[in-house]
Amino acid sequence: MQKKVDLAINLRNAGRKKESNELLVKLVEKFPGDAFINYQCAWSFDILGDESEAVPFYENAINLGLSGKDLEGAIVGLGSTYRTLGEYEKSKQVLLKGMDLFPNNKAIQVFYSLTLYNLKEHDRAMELLLTCLIDTSSDNEILNYKKALNFYSDKLNETWK
């Protein structure tokens, strides 16, 4: 089994996405209770642009007990996939869970801010994006204004006269 999973991942990495997907679908059929294979299958549908096909595999992977970095990836994948499908509340719930489980994962926070934008929670979305930018940037021009950006991040609609 592991050799076939490795082959599928290598095919994906080589740009042979469809072949990788076909192999992973067969592996899920043979090993439906394997969280990692479900995750890889979801990912394979995602990169093919078949987001709605990816959802049940992401859900299965998470429900089957995926852990660690793979769980982080599955949460980003499922949350962002729900968002692209217009299922914003589901996206929000998945990404909130992800932020609770992995509070230092900035990718989860950025995808959450995109979902907040779609939910018309623009102020919170911008605040979170600015915070992520401040926390992760190595750009000196950004860092020169870190204190100001941090101050304004939750005061976007305020003016001072």
Side-chain angles (χ1 to χ4, degrees):
M1 170 187 76
Q2 190 56 49
K3 286 183 182 182
K4 288 188 179 184
V5 172
D6 292 341
L7 174 60
I9 292 169
N10 289 335
L11 287 169
R12 179 177 60 223
N13 292 339
R16 296 165 62 185
K17 300 172 196 172
K18 187 69 176 161
E19 289 174 73
S20 173
N21 172 262
E22 289 168 357
L23 179 54
L24 287 163
V25 168
K26 288 177 184 171
L27 285 168
V28 167
E29 288 171 0
K30 195 169 185 177
F31 305 100
D34 189 294
F36 183 73
I37 293 173
N38 273 272
Y39 170 48
Q40 292 300 318
C41 191
W43 187 351
S44 75
F45 277 113
D46 227 351
I47 63 173
L48 287 172
D50 294 333
E51 286 84 359
S52 60
E53 296 289 330
V55 168
F57 295 102
Y58 279 129
E59 291 172 338
N60 288 342
I62 292 167
N63 292 334
L64 288 167
L66 200 62
S67 63
K69 282 293 190 187
D70 294 326
L71 178 58
E72 285 182 74
I75 287 171
V76 170
L78 182 58
S80 66
T81 297
Y82 276 146
R83 191 190 74 76
T84 64
L85 295 172
E87 296 192 38
Y88 305 129
E89 285 299 331
K90 286 183 179 180
S91 174
K92 183 177 183 178
Q93 294 313 307
V94 168
L95 296 169
L96 276 171
K97 177 184 175 185
M99 290 187 330
D100 284 343
L101 292 172
F102 306 103
N104 297 320
N105 186 311
K106 298 300 181 189
I108 294 172
Q109 294 174 28
V110 169
F111 279 101
Y112 180 65
S113 71
L114 294 173
T115 297
L116 291 176
Y117 172 85
N118 293 121
L119 289 168
K120 311 265 186 270
E121 297 180 40
H122 302 121
D123 292 350
R124 179 68 181 122
M126 280 296 298
E127 179 184 352
L128 189 53
L129 272 178
L130 284 170
T131 301
C132 285
L133 175 67
I134 293 164
D135 290 346
T136 61
S137 182
S138 61
D139 183 284
N140 286 330
E141 297 302 319
I142 299 289
L143 295 175
N144 286 339
Y145 295 97
K146 181 177 181 172
K147 186 176 179 182
L149 289 169
N150 194 40
F151 175 78
Y152 291 124
S153 69
D154 64 349
K155 298 168 186 64
L156 296 171
N157 292 311
E158 290 185 36
T159 57
W160 290 263
K161 292 184 181 191

